[in-house]
Amino acid sequence: MIAEHAIPSHEAAQAPDPMGPQPFRVIKVKEEIAGCTTLTVEPENDEAKKLCFFQPGQFHMIYVFGQGEIPISISGDPSHPQQLVFTIMGVGTVSRALTKLKAGDMVGLRGPFGNTWPVEKGAGKDVMLIAGGLGLAPLRPTIYSILARRELYSRVMLLYGSRRPENILFQEQLDLWNKRMEMNVGITVDSADKKWDGNVGVVTELINDTSFSPTRTIAMICGPEVMMRFSAHALMDRGMSPKNIYVSMERNMKCAVGQCGRCQYGQYFMCKDGPVFSFEQVEQLYKVREV
Amino acid sequence: MVEIKGVRDYLASIDFFTGMKEEHVELISGCGELVQFKAGEFLIKEGDKAEKFYVIREGEATIETYVPGQGAKIMMTVKKGGIVGYSWLFEPYRSSFDVRALTDMRAIQLDGACLRGKAENDHELGYHLMNRVARVILKRLHASRQQMVDVYEKLERKGA
């Protein structure tokens, strides 16, 4: 079964050859936090321009020449398709190489791939966005989309957990969103010293402290799998149905078009059927321990 | 005319005491008084005799410990409606961590020895009090375990 929020096949068909990387040039590099960089890239030709139209939750395969290719979620604004923005933490050979790129360098891109966050399903409801660590990056396009059409939604809440204050991603933007009063922003860190005057505690505690109606709320969670599991359970403890809780999964991918099977997760191919799933779809898979 | 609320009225409005019999809330309120703290003041000091239990009415407090060479390490923030200090319930009645007002605070201060005495005399009250404190302890135990797991860690991934 493919998730209801999958991209219609006619849209995928308009994209260039999904297996052939298109050239993109790095135009801006910003170090966000230690080891984590945001790259802004622009297409080098008309074919490459077609890769810039995406929806929140989708990802591209980014090829670093001479190093390899990895999937990276888009962290930019879908309403600005002239360029693509990716936020990358260097945790392996290719991602470290990506964080060392400079303005003017070239990369190859394929995509966009995967399904999307159920942004439309949240219309008329309260929307709770829960991010942990670097998980705020793949959720950011959703935030842009929701705020661009803010009148469609009731309450919008962003709950964000990080290890320490210095690990908080997009700090300036979080402050801005908070000031704009269009969204309730709750931030918590696992530990801090006296210089931090914000909340200390796990992100599930923010969920417990937040007032919301479980029957008219849709939740989207992004972060490490264990954080998403704890958060989904905290929401279900408050009465939410797993049908209305969405998570974004992450696995190593190769082809990104559902051919190679590298990212198979139970009955699903992460690249094609995901990366966004309702918690109802994956709850049982979460219980399976990897060998 | 300004309405002056007493300890009992405040206790009855706090989730921690929801569902408790009125007579029990009345008994508990007999052990309490309304107090205020300035930001930075300590409510509880680590190692001191645990005699007090606080219900936060306004403001926030931090549970922390001082690490020589590193300063105060904050482990959690407790907000309005939350409780701090439950070592008064268990021998040897000694506080395990510092509790500091993060902002200016208003709280209800409950006397631990007074509460223990009333719980001894009325086991139903004792059960309901212990049950509520146990729920708070369970939530904090879960939170501490999640912090130990380091749920935000981005793992080193081969080939990524």
Side-chain angles (χ1 to χ4, degrees):
Chain A
M1 185 182 74
I2 294 176
E4 60 186 61
H5 43 285
I7 297 291
S9 56
H10 67 273
E11 287 185 29
Q14 293 169 356
D17 172 15
M19 297 306 288
Q22 295 294 328
F24 277 75
R25 189 175 297 280
V26 177
I27 59 158
K28 192 175 164 192
V29 178
K30 183 185 179 196
E31 186 179 13
E32 301 284 356
I33 53 175
C36 177
T37 298
T38 292
L39 298 179
T40 305
V41 300
E42 277 186 353
E44 279 286 284
N45 59 39
D46 287 343
E47 275 298 282
K49 281 181 186 169
K50 294 178 185 171
L51 273 61
C52 294
F53 295 90
F54 71 97
Q55 294 182 52
Q58 290 194 287
F59 66 94
H60 281 85
M61 297 298 292
I62 307 186
Y63 185 36
V64 184
F65 302 115
Q67 298 285 342
E69 188 185 46
I70 54 171
I72 300 286
S73 293
I74 307 156
S75 65
D77 188 341
S79 68
H80 293 103
Q82 301 83 3
Q83 48 188 220
L84 288 166
V85 178
F86 300 96
T87 301
I88 304 138
M89 176 68 85
V91 292
T93 310
V94 183
S95 55
R96 279 198 199 96
L98 278 166
T99 61
K100 287 174 185 157
L101 291 177
K102 295 179 178 63
D105 289 344
M106 296 290 293
V107 289
L109 257 69
R110 295 192 291 125
F113 297 116
N115 64 356
T116 75
W117 291 107
V119 180
E120 301 299 327
K121 193 180 170 185
K125 294 181 179 171
D126 291 344
V127 179
M128 187 182 284
L129 305 161
I130 305 170
L134 203 65
L136 184 57
L139 265 182
R140 192 165 66 164
T142 310
I143 298 170
Y144 287 131
S145 290
I146 288 172
L147 294 184
R149 301 174 74 194
R150 181 63 187 85
E151 70 283 359
L152 293 181
Y153 305 90
S154 297
R155 283 182 68 207
V156 181
M157 299 154 274
L158 170 64
L159 309 181
Y160 177 50
S162 179
R163 294 168 97 177
R164 296 188 53 79
E166 58 268 30
N167 301 124
I168 292 174
L169 200 60
F170 310 141
Q171 177 75 70
E172 287 173 18
Q173 201 159 25
L174 287 167
D175 292 342
L176 194 69
W177 283 330
N178 209 12
K179 276 183 197 153
R180 279 170 60 182
M181 308 284 281
E182 292 174 322
M183 178 167 68
N184 299 109
V185 180
I187 303 173
T188 189
V189 297
D190 262 3
S191 63
D193 58 27
K194 275 177 78 174
K195 285 178 277 186
W196 170 252
D197 62 357
N199 198 75
V200 179
V202 288
V203 75
T204 48
E205 284 301 300
L206 285 185
I207 297 170
N208 294 334
D209 289 343
T210 301
S211 161
F212 64 95
S213 165
T215 53
R216 55 189 304 274
T217 299
I218 185 165
M220 303 178 216
I221 315 173
C222 192
E225 208 165 300
V226 61
M227 169 264 164
M228 293 194 289
R229 196 176 75 222
F230 285 137
S231 299
H233 287 156
L235 292 169
M236 286 159 66
D237 287 346
R238 293 284 300 274
M240 273 193 78
S241 161
K243 288 179 184 171
N244 292 325
I245 300 169
Y246 290 83
V247 294
S248 179
M249 300 297 297
E250 191 179 339
R251 285 291 183 278
N252 282 341
M253 295 179 192
K254 261 308 183 210
C255 73
V257 290
Q259 295 295 317
C260 74
R262 174 79 178 265
C263 64
Q264 187 167 359
Y265 184 56
Q267 69 198 91
Y268 305 114
F269 280 168
M270 205 65 70
C271 62
K272 182 169 67 76
D273 304 325
V276 178
F277 294 91
S278 74
F279 195 64
E280 184 185 41
Q281 287 177 290
V282 294
E283 187 177 7
Q284 289 307 315
L285 292 170
Y286 266 43
K287 295 175 183 168
V288 180
R289 293 190 174 201
E290 293 175 354
V291 289
Chain B
M1 199 175 97
V2 178
E3 189 187 351
I4 309 292
K5 276 177 134 183
V7 171
R8 195 200 162 286
D9 298 317
Y10 280 118
L11 288 181
S13 69
I14 286 169
D15 281 352
F16 181 83
F17 297 98
T18 301
M20 229 179 208
K21 284 183 180 172
E22 280 188 28
E23 63 200 71
H24 288 155
V25 177
E26 189 73 45
L27 279 171
I28 292 168
S29 63
C31 297
E33 61 178 309
L34 302 178
V35 292
Q36 295 183 26
F37 295 93
K38 292 275 180 207
E41 263 189 89
F42 285 91
L43 287 71
I44 295 171
K45 288 286 280 182
E46 182 180 321
D48 283 359
K49 195 171 178 197
E51 295 172 315
K52 308 292 181 201
F53 161 50
Y54 295 92
V55 181
I56 300 176
R57 289 167 49 209
E58 294 293 338
E60 294 179 12
T62 58
I63 299 176
E64 59 187 50
T65 192
Y66 177 76
V67 181
Q70 295 181 42
K73 294 282 172 193
I74 302 170
M75 287 164 281
M76 75 174 294
T77 313
V78 185
K79 296 179 178 171
K80 181 181 175 180
I83 70 159
V84 286
Y86 37 65
S87 299
W88 58 272
L89 255 175
F90 310 100
E91 288 183 11
Y93 311 122
R94 192 159 302 287
S95 299
S96 304
F97 298 102
D98 292 332
V99 178
R100 184 174 55 88
L102 183 64
T103 61
D104 288 351
M105 269 185 61
R106 291 170 190 269
I108 300 161
Q109 177 181 278
L110 294 154
D111 183 276
C114 171
L115 284 177
R116 281 201 307 271
K118 289 186 178 181
E120 281 293 335
N121 289 334
D122 182 340
H123 285 187
E124 190 187 349
L125 166 69
Y127 167 77
H128 288 295
L129 200 54
M130 191 65 93
N131 183 283
R132 282 163 173 74
V133 171
R135 272 188 247 167
V136 173
I137 295 173
L138 183 68
K139 272 179 68 179
R140 291 187 186 168
L141 176 65
H142 285 174
S144 297
R145 286 178 172 169
Q146 285 184 40
Q147 283 168 314
M148 279 172 65
V149 171
D150 193 3
V151 295
Y152 309 122
E153 187 184 17
K154 183 80 179 171
L155 296 176
E156 180 89 13
R157 289 172 56 213
K158 192 180 173 186

